[in-house]
Structure formats: structure tokens, C-alpha cells
Amino acid sequence: MSREIKTGQVAARCVRPAAFLTQYLAEMVGALLIQGAVNLFVVLVGFLCFGRYMTIPSASALPAFALCLILAVMLRLMMIDVFSLLCFFTTGYLGISWTRAALFDFFSGAMIPVALFPGWLKAIACCTPFPYMLQAPVAVLLGQDTLVGLPAVYGLQTVWILIFLGLHGLIYGLARRNLTIAGG
Amino acid sequence: MIRIFLEMKAQYIKTEMEYSANFWMMLFSGVLTRLVSMAAPFVIYSNLPDIAGWKRDEIYLILSFLFIAEGLCSVLFEGIWQMPAMVFDGKFDCILSRPVSPLFQVISYGMGLQGISVFLVGAVSLPVFLKRLDLFHPLGVVLSLFFVLCGTLLCMSIYLMGNCVVFWFDAGGRTTIPYTVSQVGQYARYPLEIYPNIMRFLLLFLVPYGFICVVPVEILRGSAAWTECFGVAGVSAVFFLVARAVFYRGIRHYESVGM
């Protein structure tokens, strides 16, 4: 979406008879399904090659994990959406994209598990939405400590989704109020 | 030529500063991404006493050399990353039609704003960690400047070779190969002893990020002989010559797609 904003192609998205957010979510979910299938294949190959070094998740954890994963994916999509909308004000997307990636990689546990963080840094991480996008689902699947407890994980994921929904409405409203399309 | 090069960079930065929100966002993202990179060793060392005998400050010194090389490459040679787009949309025709070296034109094209802040983070952290490791003496400073010079040349050569792939495999103005190469190189943020032999070979001779940051710190801390400075210079020179040859070979393979 950020590229569309930069090139002006976002104008077409704005005039379509469907909500801006609905279009974005539909597009992202479609792309994610394909990406998810590819990633699943890579994971399966990984298990076949290095399965003896890996932890096999317990089947009893799957229902709790499935809900946590769905909320995590929704949360991640909303976060990307809100960061992308900021491109309406910056005219560039690389800085925003790198900032988002840096924050996500570190605080989500993608770089180093949040469980290894020192106490004060762990507390800061838990106050951000990022651990609930990756660290929490993985911890639920493997039956490890979720840092805040499973009900709180679900609650915080939902709260952060609602916060990002609110931010989407606010930022998109501001952008549409004084929108100048460049290019297109 | 150098005056023209600097004049072009000055014009690019003026253009970028016209879009002030984006300008500051790019600088901020450069600082943030590098601070996050430095936070990773901080977390690791809060759980481990050392990594293969290396202290935390030595890891930060490795990162400092890497940041300076990457930052300078981004500021000075950003045009290399624009090559795939130039080839795809036909702008490379203009490069070939001007009576100036195509390589000079490519490297002087554009400017990576985030490179300014990446360079600054490295330029601040390098003397700090040299001092903390008792290496802030005339020889240490001279060697560091030499390693920065070689590292920047090597970094540019790696980027150039990676992006030259576009002359043979066009992928719609974007190619992930140079990005992947750069990501592989990021493994050289840690001592090479922790990796298996094949990975060490990869990081020293195929994607030689090891010579940008790890080998210089090995020489400075005394775990490698000072004569390895010749190795650093030699690898940098050889990779630059190979990258230059690949670039001109690629041009011979270039087919215009029209404007």
C-alpha cells in the first residue's frame, strides 16, 4: 500500500465502492495464504531434515494456538496497515518500512526470544504489540511461558487490534481530508 | 571528477530535504535499525559470559566497522541499488549515451539518506569502543581508518556484483539477489569461530563481509597477525576489480527496453 501511496495509484483504491481497510485486508489475506503455503512447505522440509533437533508441538496445544495465531496475524496486518498509512504524510515509504521492521524484529522475538531479555526490557516489550504477533503464538504452541498468561495474551491481542483499528480510522480520516495525489 | 561527484551528491541531498518528513524519517530509521542491531548483543551478553572468547565491546567494534562501511556505501554509492530499476525502465540507455564512465555515473546516482545516520552511529561508536578496549592509540586509529577505507570499497564491490545480476536476469526492476547477499553478510556481525568451516569460507571469500568487520577487529585485538592487513587490502582490491569487470561484462549483455 505504501508504494501505491507514493506512486499515486492509491487514488484508484480510494474511489472503489468498498472500504479502504476491507480492500487492504482482502488483498493481504490472499497474499498471506500463498506465502503461508510456501512457508509451511519450507517448515516441513526443515522438520524432515532436522526434526531430531526440533520440538514437536503437542496436539492439545493446537486449538489455543489456532486462535492465538489468527489474532496475531490480524494484529500484524493492522500494524502494517497503520504504518503504511503514514506514507500519506511522508511521501516515502522506506523509512517507515525499516522502522516498522526494526521494531518488529527486535520486540517480537524474531531476532532473539523475548524470554531471554533482561527483566526491564521484557517489561517494555510486553507493553508493545510486537510480542503478541510472534513470541506469544510460538510460546502457546510449544507450551512455554507466554509472559502474561494465555487469557491476557488473547485480551491484549484484541485490545491492540482495536487500538490499530482506531488509529487506522484517525490517520485515514486525516489523510483523506487534505489528500493530494502525486503521479498515478 | 570528484568535484562533479560531490556536487551531484549535494544536489541529491537538497532534493531529498525538500520532503522534510521523509528526510527525518529516513534518518530516524537508520539510527533505530542500528540501535536494534546493537541491542541484540546486549541481550545475548546478558545471558552468556562471552561468545567464543569475545567480549561484548569487541562485538560492538565489529558492528561499528560494519555500520561505517554500510553507511558510506549508502551515502556515496546508492546508485548501485538503483541499477535494476534503471535497466528495467530503460534509463540505463542514458547512462550509456553520455561521454562519462558508466560506472562513475551509476555510483554517483542518488543518495541513501539512511546511510547518513548509519554512518553517524558507526562513527560515534567506533572511537567509543576503541577507547573502551584500550585501542585508541595512533596505530589503532590509523589501522581503523585503513579498515574503514578497505571495508567501504569491499562493501561497494559486493553490492555492485550483486546488482549486476540484473543484466542477465531482469525481474521487473527489482531483484532480491543483492538483498539476499547482503543479508547473508550480516552473519559476519559475530566472530567467525562460532560458525562451521563452510560458513567461514562463505563469509571470507564468497560474501566477504568478514573482511569488512570481523578480520579488522581480530587484527586490532591481536588474535590475528598485523600482516593480515595485506589480506584485507588484497581482498578489497581483487573484489573491486572483479566487480568492475562483471559490471562492464554486464553492459555488453544489456539490451535496451526503450523509454
Side-chain angles (χ1 to χ4, degrees):
Chain A
M1 193 211 299
S2 46
R3 279 201 184 87
E4 283 185 17
I5 293 172
K6 194 183 176 192
T7 58
Q9 287 172 333
V10 74
R13 203 185 273 267
C14 292
V15 295
R16 282 186 201 132
F20 193 87
L21 183 61
T22 313
Q23 292 179 54
Y24 163 75
L25 287 178
E27 196 176 293
M28 288 298 283
V29 169
L32 272 179
L33 288 175
I34 297 167
Q35 186 66 51
V38 173
N39 290 357
L40 191 63
F41 174 74
V42 173
V43 169
L44 287 175
V45 171
F47 260 99
L48 284 175
C49 297
F50 307 107
R52 63 183 182 280
Y53 303 112
M54 294 183 176
T55 307
I56 308 292
S58 151
S60 60
L62 289 180
F65 166 71
L67 179 59
C68 194
L69 181 68
I70 290 168
L71 288 169
V73 170
M74 284 301 297
L75 178 54
R76 178 108 199 265
L77 290 180
M78 287 308 303
M79 190 260 305
I80 295 173
D81 168 75
V82 167
F83 271 87
S84 299
L85 285 178
L86 294 176
C87 296
F88 275 116
F89 306 98
T90 61
T91 66
Y93 60 87
L94 278 179
I96 289 171
S97 171
W98 285 334
T99 300
R100 173 176 57 77
L103 290 171
F104 174 80
D105 285 351
F106 186 69
F107 286 112
S108 70
M111 200 181 265
I112 299 169
V114 179
L116 294 179
F117 287 12
W120 61 272
L121 195 55
K122 205 185 291 179
I124 292 175
C126 288
C127 295
T128 70
F130 304 106
Y132 313 110
M133 298 175 197
L134 187 66
Q135 172 83 30
V138 171
V140 170
L141 181 65
L142 298 177
Q144 292 174 348
D145 180 19
T146 55
L147 304 174
V148 290
L150 188 56
V153 167
Y154 291 146
L156 284 165
Q157 284 178 316
T158 310
V159 166
W160 276 111
I161 289 171
L162 292 174
I163 288 173
F164 280 121
L165 268 173
L167 284 173
H168 170 90
L170 183 73
I171 298 171
Y172 186 62
L174 282 172
R176 283 298 297 266
R177 202 174 295 164
N178 187 20
L179 178 60
T180 307
I181 297 290
Chain B
M1 290 293 261
I2 292 174
R3 196 179 60 78
I4 294 172
F5 181 83
L6 294 176
E7 188 61 38
M8 287 183 75
K9 294 296 168 189
Q11 295 309 316
Y12 279 120
I13 199 164
K14 281 183 206 165
T15 311
E16 295 291 350
M17 286 178 84
E18 280 294 310
Y19 305 94
S20 58
N22 186 52
F23 177 78
W24 291 110
M25 194 68 216
M26 289 293 276
L27 293 192
F28 173 73
S29 73
V31 173
L32 185 74
T33 50
R34 266 48 190 188
L35 289 182
V36 163
S37 298
M38 295 181 95
F42 169 76
V43 173
I44 291 171
Y45 276 93
S46 63
N47 291 276
L48 296 172
D50 66 73
I51 300 175
W54 286 62
K55 291 180 280 189
R56 185 167 66 187
D57 287 350
E58 289 168 335
I59 303 292
Y60 286 140
L61 198 57
I62 291 177
L63 290 176
S64 304
F65 279 115
L66 185 63
F67 294 165
I68 292 178
E70 286 181 336
L72 283 176
C73 269
S74 183
V75 172
L76 300 175
F77 314 123
E78 178 68 11
I80 291 171
W81 290 98
Q82 310 292 332
M83 268 172 48
M86 285 185 208
V87 170
F88 180 65
D89 61 20
K91 279 184 189 161
F92 205 79
D93 287 7
C94 303
I95 300 269
L96 295 179
S97 61
R98 293 188 194 119
V100 183
S101 153
L103 183 58
F104 175 79
Q105 291 183 68
V106 166
I107 62 173
S108 56
Y109 186 91
M111 182 180 213
L113 287 178
Q114 81 289 351
I116 298 171
S117 49
V118 171
F119 168 74
L120 287 176
V121 172
V124 169
S125 62
L126 182 67
V128 167
F129 291 106
L130 279 176
K131 207 167 176 65
R132 287 178 65 137
L133 292 164
D134 289 330
L135 296 168
F136 198 76
H137 45 70
L139 181 64
V141 173
V142 169
L143 278 176
S144 297
L145 291 174
F146 169 75
F147 293 140
V148 164
L149 202 68
C150 292
T152 308
L153 183 68
L154 193 48
C155 196
M156 186 208 83
S157 308
I158 296 168
Y159 290 168
L160 183 60
M161 269 193 273
N163 278 287
C164 279
V165 168
V166 75
F167 289 120
W168 287 274
F169 308 104
D170 189 14
R174 276 183 280 168
T175 169
T176 53
I177 291 173
Y179 180 72
T180 308
V181 168
S182 163
Q183 288 300 103
V184 169
Q186 300 304 314
Y187 284 99
R189 291 170 174 217
Y190 295 98
L192 300 183
E193 294 100 297
I194 65 172
Y195 298 118
N197 285 339
I198 187 159
M199 194 69 185
R200 277 188 224 178
F201 180 78
L202 180 81
L203 291 172
L204 285 174
F205 301 109
L206 296 181
V207 186
Y209 270 71
F211 281 101
I212 297 174
C213 48
V214 180
V215 175
V217 179
E218 282 180 346
I219 295 170
L220 284 170
R221 74 200 280 263
S223 58
W226 68 271
T227 46
E228 286 205 22
C229 290
F230 295 113
V232 174
V235 168
S236 305
V238 166
F239 262 80
F240 173 70
L241 291 174
V242 171
R244 189 178 175 279
V246 170
F247 176 75
Y248 282 105
R249 186 95 186 162
I251 287 180
R252 283 163 59 185
H253 204 267
Y254 170 69
E255 287 178 16
S256 173
V257 291
M259 300 294 278

